Amino acid sequence: MSDWQPAWNRLWPAPAKLNLFLHVVGRRADGYHLLQTVFRFIDLADTLRFEPRRDGRIVLATPTPGVPPEQDLVVRAANALKVDTGGTAGVTIHLEKHIPMGGGLGGGSSDAATTLIALNHLWGCGLSRERLQALGLPLGADVPIFIHGRNAFAEGIGEQFTDVNIDDTCYLLTLPAAAVPTPEIFRSPDLKRDTPAIAPAVWHDSFGRNDLEPVACTLYPEVARHLDWLRQFGDARMTGSGACCFVPLVDRARAASVEALLPADMKGRVVNGMPEHPLSDKRLSARASALTARPLS
Ligand code: C5P
């Protein structure tokens, strides 16, 4: 635990993800959809900072407008860990948002995952990543991938993983002016729910499509407009349940030139794919030794 004391004062990143494809292959009895997808981490990230408290409370210092603090995913994540481990410690959480909400980029889930990873260390809980994933899943189907920490082909409701290696790619990511509520897309009678499942090894870079796209495009024509524009430059797709859309652009110079062509009424930027989550088990262990070697003066 003492090795980790300095880490209270650092910024903990919570990166966004893209779904490189997303197929709906069935539905569970409880209404949740069975998916196949590839999660790819990108270098757009929220940041979190954790301060210890003596009064045992979990306080979000930066509440999101319109979200009651007790319903915020980071507060629920901290509570879930505290209850599971029978802890009495308190924490003040500072969250700086950079990932747009309602974008299909997994921002809220990533914040919750980083909270679980960080507090597991800071409180000295010692839970395994698998246990943290189980604690995270009830908070959102996208939470476990951020705890898993490696780009992966995912199945089930998005919590069973087969790691994949993805080429070093950048993407032009655009943000249509629409916040898409995930449940609205999944409950549409028009959603295709019977795409045949594949074996993970069949997946390759340009495989498949996003089955949620047609529903999102009908309900939110801005999404369709962005996809139409991006398709001039390659195999453009929506991520998650939208609204964000992306096109892979392997060459960075080309990505910059395409970004410069963005119409004035479209928001977007180039983002880079990451080989793994910045707080993956492997990276965090390396950072732990670095922190041990270089204590805060
Ligand atoms: O898990 P998350 O909070 O992201 O999901 C929001 C809603 O989207 C769920 O309550 C459910 O209605 C729907 N959903 C689904 N199948 C999934 C993931 C989400 O039906 N695999």
Side-chain angles (χ1 to χ4, degrees):
M1 177 66 191
S2 61
D3 293 346
W4 278 100
Q5 214 57 38
W8 282 106
N9 294 312
R10 60 174 290 188
L11 292 176
W12 294 75
K17 57 80 179 166
L18 298 178
N19 296 90
L20 298 190
F21 85 102
L22 197 164
H23 287 175
V24 182
V25 299
R27 203 172 192 181
R28 295 198 315 202
D30 64 1
Y32 260 79
H33 290 78
L34 295 167
L35 309 176
Q36 288 195 318
T37 187
V38 163
F39 287 111
R40 160 58 136 173
F41 299 116
I42 55 172
D43 65 352
L44 168 66
D46 294 338
T47 50
L48 292 99
R49 190 164 59 80
F50 302 90
E51 270 182 273
R53 295 179 68 95
R54 290 176 191 278
D55 62 5
R57 292 172 57 219
I58 290 165
V59 174
L60 179 59
T62 49
T64 307
V67 182
E70 68 281 3
Q71 280 175 28
D72 197 288
L73 280 183
V74 296
V75 174
R76 291 174 54 205
N79 265 317
L81 183 64
K82 191 171 164 174
V83 169
D84 190 71
T85 57
T88 54
V91 64
T92 301
I93 306 173
H94 301 261
L95 168 61
E96 196 177 301
K97 289 296 294 177
H98 300 283
I99 305 172
M101 290 190 281
L105 297 167
S109 299
S110 186
D111 298 339
T114 290
T115 300
L116 287 169
I117 293 168
L119 291 179
N120 185 43
H121 283 279
L122 297 169
W123 285 343
C125 303
L127 299 191
S128 67
R129 289 284 171 134
E130 288 70 26
R131 181 70 199 140
L132 292 178
Q133 284 178 36
L135 284 181
L137 185 58
L139 303 174
D142 283 347
V143 178
I145 184 62
F146 292 102
I147 297 170
H148 178 71
R150 294 182 299 276
N151 294 317
F153 183 102
E155 300 179 83
I157 61 169
E159 84 296 14
Q160 298 158 22
F161 305 119
T162 305
D163 293 349
V164 291
N165 284 318
I166 305 174
D167 288 345
D168 190 16
T169 307
C170 56
Y171 306 86
L172 179 62
L173 176 69
T174 69
L175 174 61
V180 179
T182 302
E184 184 186 14
I185 303 296
F186 275 111
R187 70 170 167 254
S188 166
D190 298 328
L191 178 65
K192 179 173 166 52
R193 298 182 163 89
D194 60 356
T195 297
I198 59 156
V202 171
W203 178 78
H204 57 85
D205 262 359
S206 56
F207 176 82
R209 57 180 182 269
N210 184 336
D211 280 340
L212 309 185
E213 237 176 67
V215 174
C217 286
T218 304
L219 293 173
Y220 298 91
E222 255 314 88
V223 175
R225 187 171 77 94
H226 278 237
L227 284 169
D228 283 346
W229 187 82
L230 287 170
R231 285 199 175 110
Q232 303 172 78
F233 309 104
D235 183 10
R237 299 188 181 179
M238 188 178 83
T239 176
S241 55
C244 286
C245 302
F246 62 95
V247 65
L249 295 161
V250 177
D251 176 75
R252 280 177 180 72
R254 166 107 177 113
S257 63
V258 172
E259 183 180 1
L261 298 174
L262 263 176
D265 61 352
M266 284 190 189
K267 275 194 201 167
R269 56 165 277 203
V270 175
V271 295
N272 295 296
M274 292 195 296
E276 63 185 319
H277 191 295
L279 302 177
S280 69
D281 233 354
K282 198 174 87 195
R283 292 200 180 185
L284 210 53
S285 319
R287 285 176 190 208
S289 347
L291 283 169
T292 312
R294 203 162 32 81
L296 203 66
S297 54

